[in-house]
Amino acid sequence: MSVSATSHLPVGTPDPEHLRDRLPFLRRRNMVLRGTRAFLEARGCMEVETPCATPTPGEEVHLLPFQTMRETPDGQRQPLFLHTSPEFAMKRIVAATGLSVFQFARVWRNGEASATHAPEFTMLEWYQPGMPLTGLMDETEALLKAVLPPTIHRNTCTLDMSLPFERLSMKEAFRRHAGVDLLPTQGNAQALAHAAGCPLREGELWEDLFFRLLLERIEPAIGQTRPTFLTHWPASQAALARKDPTDPRVALRFELYAAGMELANAFDELTDPAEQRQRFAQDRAERQSLYPTRPTWPMDEKLLHALPHMPPCSGIALGFDRLVMLASGARHIQDVLWIQD
């Protein structure tokens, strides 16, 4: 009986999942997983696990969570959601222990599907108490250089991983690639449209146009020959990040781009519960306005209670499947997932 080189199944055996074709990608996935875990553990990070089903899946305005229901032995029912990120729970762990922690978390985002999106995927998150955002950029760069090949070819990009990663502020990125002085336009969609020389679409708000320009002009121009950290986001896009004390117009946040993919999103974490509650309330109001038929959920009071006890901290969420795509040369996220349903 003949056996293929990459499988213990006899040649000719049906493979409806195409696993044999994808085994090189999946073997590389395991190598990157082991290398990443070893890297973080060597730097003193403890691996943790948090619940996937939670009363509060997150507060990001545009993400649609999967909903489920908990039933107790006495017949009570509680709506739960599959989390869109383990961020809230991991911050509670940092607040309670002061530890550096990481997690390979399965997360769910409904309605997402593309060559780089899957409705269920793996998010690598880690939190470093006492580390500023510049230190987290150093650490993230070191991790990628440790687990990725020295040269990466993807689409029209060739990444030289021996080069220092680019660090580019959002202000400079818009000046360089869109010809726009971004920060003075915050909240004024017409001013941003005039500065960018593009017509404002019907009903388009400043945030909408900001992301359109980011997608159309900035992202295609960065991370082409080396990965790029896009830093110092407008304060309106702070999410869970602190505002820069030296310039309140911007937030201490970065995203990492490489070869046409967004890989990671990181914050110098906000620890003020009053400000965080206010931001959550604003997000909820916007989500209700944009998506009035979507489900609602209680605010995460456990997180808000924990924030005052959280040390100064930087945290990052990195799309692990996309990292494996870069490491393996896979063109589609499905190539690096073992089984898809």
Side-chain angles (χ1 to χ4, degrees):
M1 182 180 291
S2 59
V3 179
S4 69
T6 59
S7 171
H8 296 293
L9 291 174
V11 172
T13 301
D15 179 16
E17 304 289 349
H18 301 288
L19 278 170
R20 281 177 295 189
D21 295 337
R22 297 188 291 111
L23 275 176
F25 300 134
L26 296 168
R27 287 196 171 102
R28 180 56 68 94
R29 181 187 183 95
N30 282 357
M31 291 173 60
V32 176
L33 181 71
R34 292 195 301 270
T36 301
R37 178 176 279 118
F39 178 93
L40 291 171
E41 288 180 341
R43 288 173 174 251
C45 285
M46 175 176 288
E47 187 167 6
V48 299
E49 295 177 318
T50 57
C52 296
T54 175
T56 304
E59 294 291 357
E60 209 284 340
V61 171
H62 302 289
L63 295 185
L64 175 61
F66 286 82
Q67 188 169 7
T68 186
M69 185 71 67
R70 172 189 287 158
E71 296 190 11
T72 65
D74 60 1
Q76 296 185 50
R77 294 163 61 86
Q78 179 190 16
L80 295 178
F81 300 85
L82 300 179
H83 63 185
T84 58
S85 164
E87 179 173 8
F88 292 1
M90 292 184 73
K91 286 181 177 179
R92 287 164 52 193
I93 293 175
V94 174
T97 67
L99 293 173
S100 300
V101 296
F102 74 96
Q103 180 174 190
F104 292 96
R106 298 297 288 186
V107 299
W108 291 262
R109 297 178 179 185
N110 213 343
E112 296 198 357
S114 75
T116 57
H117 293 82
E120 179 183 351
F121 61 99
T122 299
M123 185 79 80
L124 168 64
E125 291 205 17
W126 76 95
Y127 293 82
Q128 290 285 23
M131 180 178 287
L133 211 57
T134 52
L136 189 59
M137 282 189 272
D138 293 339
E139 186 165 78
T140 305
E141 180 173 342
L143 169 62
L144 265 62
K145 289 183 173 181
V147 301
L148 292 179
T151 304
I152 296 170
H153 303 282
R154 178 177 173 79
N155 299 330
T156 60
C157 305
T158 298
L159 297 182
D160 182 351
M161 297 298 293
S162 69
L163 296 174
F165 289 12
E166 182 180 27
R167 301 187 181 190
L168 183 65
S169 71
M170 189 70 78
K171 176 182 178 180
E172 176 61 19
F174 268 76
R175 186 200 66 78
R176 185 183 303 178
H177 301 300
V180 171
D181 186 5
L182 177 67
L183 297 179
T185 74
Q186 282 196 79
N188 188 334
Q190 191 62 56
L192 179 56
H194 178 75
C198 65
L200 194 63
R201 295 172 179 171
E202 184 178 356
E204 194 169 38
L205 303 177
W206 184 92
E207 181 183 66
D208 302 322
L209 180 56
F210 165 77
F211 279 108
R212 176 155 68 96
L213 294 171
L214 180 64
L215 180 65
E216 294 177 356
R217 301 190 189 183
I218 310 303
E219 291 185 5
I222 62 177
Q224 302 296 297
T225 59
R226 54 178 175 161
T228 297
F229 292 109
L230 191 57
T231 73
H232 295 85
W233 285 55
S236 61
Q237 305 304 310
L240 282 79
R242 288 197 308 122
K243 292 180 182 177
D244 187 342
T246 67
D247 185 353
R249 298 178 302 169
V250 299
L252 297 175
R253 170 185 178 182
F254 72 74
E255 288 196 358
L256 175 61
Y257 294 84
M261 287 196 295
E262 177 203 335
L263 279 183
N265 186 23
F267 304 141
D268 187 323
E269 303 292 350
L270 179 65
T271 58
D272 181 334
E275 183 175 353
Q276 189 63 78
R277 183 183 295 276
Q278 181 180 24
R279 292 191 196 178
F280 283 164
Q282 292 171 346
D283 289 342
R284 286 162 168 258
E286 182 178 0
R287 185 167 55 246
Q288 179 63 28
S289 174
L290 293 173
Y291 311 109
T293 62
R294 289 190 178 181
T296 59
W297 47 81
M299 197 173 287
D300 194 332
E301 296 294 341
K302 291 181 179 179
L303 170 66
L304 294 171
H305 179 74
L307 283 181
H309 306 284
M310 188 170 167
C313 179
S314 291
I316 184 168
L318 187 149
F320 182 74
D321 309 288
R322 294 182 183 181
L323 183 66
V324 175
M325 291 173 68
L326 285 180
S328 65
R331 298 300 176 188
H332 200 290
I333 194 170
Q334 301 295 331
D335 291 334
V336 300
L337 305 178
W338 278 95
I339 293 289
Q340 305 95 47
D341 287 327

